[in-house]
Amino acid sequence: MTPFSHLFIRKNRKVSFQISIMIRELVNIPLVSGYYYINWRIKYASHATGTTIRVPIKDHQVSFSHPISTMVRLVIDKQQILSPCEMKLEVYQKGGKSLGSLIINLSEYAGLGIINEKYLLEDCKFNSIIKVYNIGAYISVYSCILLSY
């Protein structure tokens, strides 16, 4: 859904990106049994929300291998800086108990290609790490725009 503030911006300042992300795994879980899943939400995306399948824990880790592919419409401000595009990941144990959450600014990875990243979950009682693969934001229109951060 396009935010109301984006309606009054000229077309040459709006940029569309094809974002492809793979949520790989969750590691360093001190528990030995249970099912886990991730709810994800991306601002300004054509396919904005989703959920991974519920996966059992094995050797203190959970392997999701969940692909996400969507189009995102962002704005370049007057200082030639790309507006933020937040992706929120919320990790849950079966039954609705929250394990932690994470917010990633996807516009930081615009034009960088394939990247492997590890993130420490926020609001987590223990140091669980989520691995995200192939964070790629590819410019589909106006490919000659300067991207600065």
Side-chain angles (χ1 to χ4, degrees):
M1 182 174 162
T2 304
F4 187 70
S5 61
H6 284 198
L7 295 176
F8 301 107
I9 296 174
R10 294 181 300 161
K11 287 185 178 183
N12 64 346
R13 289 185 37 213
K14 294 180 184 178
V15 182
S16 295
F17 288 91
Q18 174 66 37
I19 296 177
S20 299
I21 299 168
M22 173 76 70
I23 301 173
R24 285 184 42 206
E25 60 187 358
L26 181 65
V27 297
N28 295 341
I29 304 172
L31 305 172
V32 293
S33 66
Y35 286 82
Y36 293 86
Y37 63 96
I38 297 176
N39 287 343
W40 56 270
R41 184 173 48 248
I42 302 175
K43 283 187 175 181
Y44 316 129
S46 59
H47 182 65
T49 61
T51 302
T52 64
I53 59 172
R54 284 149 176 82
V55 180
I57 190 170
K58 185 176 181 182
D59 297 328
H60 301 285
Q61 66 183 13
V62 179
S63 296
F64 293 105
S65 297
H66 181 76
I68 301 170
S69 184
T70 186
M71 289 292 292
V72 177
R73 187 101 170 167
L74 299 177
V75 173
I76 298 174
D77 65 8
K78 293 180 181 181
Q79 290 80 24
Q80 297 296 316
I81 298 174
L82 197 59
S83 64
C85 175
E86 293 180 349
M87 176 178 176
K88 183 170 185 176
L89 301 171
E90 297 172 320
V91 181
Y92 292 99
Q93 189 175 9
K94 187 175 179 184
K97 184 179 176 186
S98 177
L99 184 65
S101 64
L102 173 69
I103 297 175
I104 303 170
N105 184 1
L106 297 176
S107 62
E108 292 176 4
Y109 302 99
L112 296 180
I114 298 173
I115 297 172
N116 293 322
E117 289 287 336
K118 296 178 187 177
Y119 299 97
L120 190 63
L121 283 180
E122 298 170 1
D123 305 325
C124 188
K125 292 180 182 177
F126 30 85
N127 293 331
S128 291
I129 297 172
I130 190 164
K131 294 182 181 178
V132 180
Y133 173 72
N134 198 12
I135 297 177
Y138 304 101
I139 301 173
S140 61
V141 294
Y142 304 116
S143 59
C144 60
I145 292 175
L146 173 66
L147 299 175
S148 59
Y149 306 104

